[in-house]
Amino acid sequence: MNRSAHPYPQMSRDDFEVLILEALADLPVYFQEHLQNIEILVDSWAGPYEHRSTGLDHSTLILGLYRGVPLTERTSGYQLVAPDTITLYQGPIELVSRGDYERIRAQVKHTVIHEIAHHFGISDDRLRELGAY
């Protein structure tokens, strides 16, 4: 896929980040209070490293990626470590949303929830079982 030829007008990074903040603010308070040592990042597209590290083919669109130690796996030795990260990839999200603002908003919210589920130790298989993939 030619990532430089984006078929839709790209929204500004600031506007995209506002959608992420809205998605986080919409989380139930319990989840907001239990997000620990995590940073939300934005990048344009996932690169070769992200595809290799996830085992996904380079042509697969990655909308978001969680990297870190899920809360369910943290032990007393989990101290003084860099924050876990959730990266949302603006280009693929805009692409699958066909550039439509409301679809982008919904996809950002879905992706944020999906990646936060990983932070809480919920696997992709379990998300599929729950119909939340």
Side-chain angles (χ1 to χ4, degrees):
M1 169 178 285
N2 182 355
R3 294 183 169 135
S4 62
H6 200 288
Y8 305 103
Q10 287 186 299
M11 76 174 20
S12 73
R13 178 66 55 97
D14 288 344
D15 289 345
F16 191 79
E17 289 175 357
V18 166
L19 295 179
I20 295 170
L21 293 174
E22 288 176 5
L24 291 168
D26 286 346
L27 290 172
V29 173
Y30 173 85
F31 293 102
Q32 290 178 23
E33 291 174 347
H34 288 86
L35 290 174
Q36 298 173 4
N37 197 34
I38 190 159
E39 184 175 358
I40 310 292
L41 307 170
V42 176
D43 203 347
S44 298
W45 293 88
Y49 173 78
E50 288 81 10
H51 281 90
R52 278 193 306 276
S53 71
T54 60
L56 295 172
D57 180 83
H58 73 278
S59 64
T60 303
L61 291 176
I62 298 176
L63 307 182
L65 185 61
Y66 169 75
R67 289 191 198 122
V69 179
L71 295 177
T72 54
E73 296 177 19
R74 293 182 184 178
T75 65
S76 60
Y78 183 86
Q79 300 175 45
L80 302 173
V81 297
D84 293 3
T85 61
I86 290 174
T87 305
L88 274 74
Y89 297 101
Q90 185 173 347
I93 289 174
E94 287 186 17
L95 185 65
V96 300
S97 302
R98 299 186 176 119
D100 178 80
Y101 182 81
E102 289 306 319
R103 284 181 167 182
I104 294 169
R105 171 185 267 148
Q107 187 61 61
V108 164
K109 184 173 184 173
H110 178 81
T111 305
V112 165
I113 291 169
H114 179 99
E115 300 308 330
I116 286 175
H118 293 321
H119 176 68
F120 281 90
I122 302 171
S123 69
D124 282 330
D125 289 339
R126 183 63 179 136
L127 288 169
R128 282 185 196 93
E129 289 172 9
L130 295 170
Y133 203 79

